[in-house]
Amino acid sequence: MAKLTKKQKNWTVDSEKLHGVDEAIGIVKANATSKFDETVEVALNLGVDPRHADQMVRGVVTLPKGTGKDVRVGVFARGAKAEEATAAGADVVGAEDLMEAIQGGKIDFDRCIATPDMMGLVGRLGKVLGPKGLMPNPKLGTVTMNVGEAVKAAKGGQVEYRVEKAGIVHSGIGKASFPAEDLRANFDALVDAVIKAKPAGAKGKYVRKVALSSSMGPGVKVDVAEVATA
């Protein structure tokens, strides 16, 4: 049996008990005792097999209370659209120069946006950006002519979610320092978006398990009946 650390011994959570959402958030906040402001994360175990195209769950949602994270945004654009992106607060803007920097191993952004005319250029970076989840995608609003709004959305609390191979969606919903009601608002927004994104190919119970945790804290099981009937 693995030896518990001093911090783990101080955790106040029953690992088997199901909790209401508000109770779970309170437990997570109480156990987020690291010296840094831990991220509060949600794990949704879904009844899908993402190996099948008709069971993929992916999308974006704007968390109403923000993420508490400084998101760096890179934009592929030229001319007036490049100026629009810069004015909106993009951290890195470019075309061939940005492509060369990325090919050289320099990726100074957390989200990537591109105008449609730049996708021929961006496509060459698929093997680099794809595995990191940074490839612009029109379905996610990251291939767009409205780059200014896309940049503001990315910096203002918009997060991308995507089901992993095991059928689990992981996403941060804010920081442990957030008021409990703000974390609840963000939790509800994420869960609602994932439920609305239920694929046609999903059979049986869609939302099977839900858990909340902080970066260094214990997982807290949430009663699925409180968050979904799907």
Side-chain angles (χ1 to χ4, degrees), residues 73 75-94 113-116 144-153 155:
V73 179
V75 179
F76 281 91
R78 289 193 178 98
K81 288 299 173 181
E83 295 175 4
E84 179 183 330
T86 300
D91 298 278
V92 186
V93 181
I113 296 166
T115 53
T144 176
M145 288 300 289
N146 197 352
V147 292
E149 286 302 313
V151 170
K152 290 177 182 177
K155 284 185 164 289

Side-chain angles (χ1 to χ4, degrees), residues 85-170:
T86 300
D91 298 278
V92 186
V93 181
E96 284 82 4
D97 56 333
L98 181 53
M99 179 188 72
E100 291 172 3
I102 293 171
Q103 288 176 329
K106 188 177 181 181
I107 301 179
D108 287 337
F109 50 83
D110 309 301
R111 294 288 296 278
C112 187
I113 296 166
T115 53
D117 58 297
M118 298 298 291
M119 287 308 292
L121 198 67
V122 178
R124 303 180 202 174
L125 299 169
K127 291 183 179 180
V128 180
L129 298 179
K132 295 181 180 296
L134 293 173
M135 194 68 181
N137 186 322
K139 293 181 179 179
L140 301 177
T142 47
V143 178
T144 176
M145 288 300 289
N146 197 352
V147 292
E149 286 302 313
V151 170
K152 290 177 182 177
K155 284 185 164 289
Q158 188 183 74
V159 296
E160 180 182 340
Y161 59 86
R162 181 175 183 172
V163 68
E164 300 170 359
K165 290 181 181 179
I168 299 174
V169 169
H170 280 106

Side-chain angles (χ1 to χ4, degrees), residues 205-223:
K205 192 172 185 179
Y206 180 49
V207 180
R208 295 182 173 178
K209 296 179 182 179
V210 181
L212 280 164
S213 64
S214 62
S215 302
M216 305 297 290
V220 182
K221 293 182 179 179
V222 177
D223 187 353

Side-chain angles (χ1 to χ4, degrees), residues 3 6 11 37 41 48 52 59 71-72 77 94 96 106 113 133 137 140 162 174 176 178-179 204 224-225 230:
K3 186 177 180 180
K6 182 179 179 180
W11 283 346
D37 195 4
E41 302 170 350
V48 299
H52 301 289
V71 178
R72 292 182 58 81
E96 284 82 4
K106 188 177 181 181
I113 296 166
N137 186 322
L140 301 177
R162 181 175 183 172
F178 279 22
V224 175

Side-chain angles (χ1 to χ4, degrees), residues 44-60 140 160-165 167-170 190-202 206-207:
L44 300 165
N45 190 323
L46 306 179
V48 299
D49 184 349
R51 292 176 298 178
H52 301 289
D54 66 345
Q55 294 189 48
M56 173 55 67
V57 179
R58 185 179 185 184
V60 293
L140 301 177
E160 180 182 340
Y161 59 86
R162 181 175 183 172
V163 68
E164 300 170 359
K165 290 181 181 179
I168 299 174
V169 169
H170 280 106
L190 173 68
V191 171
D192 185 58
V194 172
I195 290 175
K196 288 179 177 177
K198 180 180 179 179
Y206 180 49
V207 180

